[in-house]
């Protein structure tokens, strides 16, 4: 809730005055289910806490870090000038994952995929930036994981087109509109 509030304030500041720009970084752990399935949920929870600590140390004072749910985290990176500054923030966070985590004597290597959404004048709701950074994160996963991707409008068009195609196919099946030749 605090993250959403801070993101709302950042959006409002930019609409009222020429405030510094910002970005949202959305990430989750690659193959986290494998960690829970092999080491157990308690160890998975310890890993999530250790990740939160590392990410906090990689962020600048004033940036907001929040666990969004499950193994998903979001970061509000404020006062940036351009896309390069957001990429530097993502790279700094990924560097924290080069060293394995020690979970009660068990060495665990973890990687993350990060989606970046840069503020632009089209954003008026926090949900839109979260959606777009999440979309970019899934693009990073599709590129092979352990990477980051910067959102662009084509990503949104592709997601919407896929949704329409899936809906059209379901309706076509229900209406028996397919023929086998």
């Amino acid at each position: 809730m605090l993250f959403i509030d801070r993101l709302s304030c950042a959006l409002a500041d930019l609409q009222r005055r020429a405030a510094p720009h910002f970005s949202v970084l959305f990430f989750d752990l690659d193959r986290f289910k494998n960690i829970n399935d092999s080491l157990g949920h308690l160890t998975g929870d310890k890993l999530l806490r250790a990740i939160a600590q590392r990410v906090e140390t990689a962020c600048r004072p004033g940036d907001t870090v929040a666990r969004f749910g499950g193994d998903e985290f979001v970061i509000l990176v404020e006062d940036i000038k351009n896309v390069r500054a957001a990429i530097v923030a993502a790279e700094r966070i990924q560097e924290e994952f080069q060293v394995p985590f020690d979970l009660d004597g068990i060495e665990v290597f973890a990687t993350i995929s990060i989606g970046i959404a840069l503020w632009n004048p089209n954003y008026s709701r926090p949900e839109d930036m979260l959606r777009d950074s999440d979309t970019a994160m899934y693009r990073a996963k599709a590129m092979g994981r352990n990477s980051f991707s910067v959102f662009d409008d084509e990503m949104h068009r592709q997601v919407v087109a896929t949704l329409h195609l899936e809906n059209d196919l379901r309706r076509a099946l229900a209406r028996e509109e397919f023929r086998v030749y």
Side-chain angles (χ1 to χ4, degrees):
M1 293 305 293
L2 177 61
F3 181 87
I4 298 292
D5 184 56
R6 289 201 176 156
L7 181 53
S8 296
C9 289
L11 284 167
D13 282 350
L14 276 167
Q15 291 172 353
R16 282 193 307 268
R17 59 187 173 83
H21 291 193
F22 59 92
S23 65
V24 171
L25 279 59
F26 195 113
F27 74 89
D28 76 2
L29 273 72
D30 298 325
R31 298 178 185 90
F32 182 62
K33 182 179 181 337
N34 187 37
I35 291 167
N36 276 339
D37 290 348
S38 61
L39 302 176
H41 288 270
L42 291 177
T43 302
D45 287 344
K46 287 179 186 178
L47 177 61
L48 291 174
R49 286 192 296 276
I51 285 169
Q53 290 172 344
R54 280 200 194 172
V55 170
E56 277 188 319
T57 62
C59 290
R60 304 169 307 169
D63 291 344
T64 303
V65 179
R67 182 172 169 207
F68 203 66
D71 65 329
E72 297 176 330
F73 292 82
V74 288
I75 304 167
L76 176 60
V77 182
E78 297 194 70
D79 196 18
I80 62 170
K81 294 180 176 62
N82 52 36
V83 67
R84 184 69 198 134
I87 289 171
V88 166
E91 290 172 338
R92 198 172 50 240
I93 291 161
Q94 283 193 312
E95 284 175 19
E96 290 293 323
F97 289 79
Q98 298 301 313
V99 176
F101 292 86
D102 181 0
L103 304 174
D104 297 329
I106 300 170
E107 189 175 68
V108 175
F109 286 90
T111 61
I112 58 172
S113 297
I114 303 173
I116 302 170
L118 294 165
W119 175 85
N120 72 53
N122 296 329
Y123 288 123
S124 58
R125 301 175 325 146
E127 299 84 21
D128 297 335
M129 285 195 81
L130 289 168
R131 175 201 64 213
D132 291 351
S133 58
D134 187 37
T135 298
M137 180 196 66
Y138 279 100
R139 172 66 59 89
K141 285 186 175 296
M143 294 183 328
R145 302 177 191 265
N146 193 28
S147 63
F148 62 85
S149 179
V150 178
F151 177 82
D152 63 45
D153 290 333
E154 181 58 27
M155 287 180 194
H156 184 68
R157 282 191 286 278
Q158 288 175 353
V159 169
V160 170
T162 299
L163 176 66
H164 288 295
L165 178 61
E166 289 172 355
N167 288 340
D168 290 346
L169 288 171
R170 286 182 188 276
R171 280 193 287 277
L173 282 170
R175 295 177 189 155
E176 299 180 2
E177 295 174 342
F178 283 102
R179 302 277 188 268
V180 177
Y181 291 95

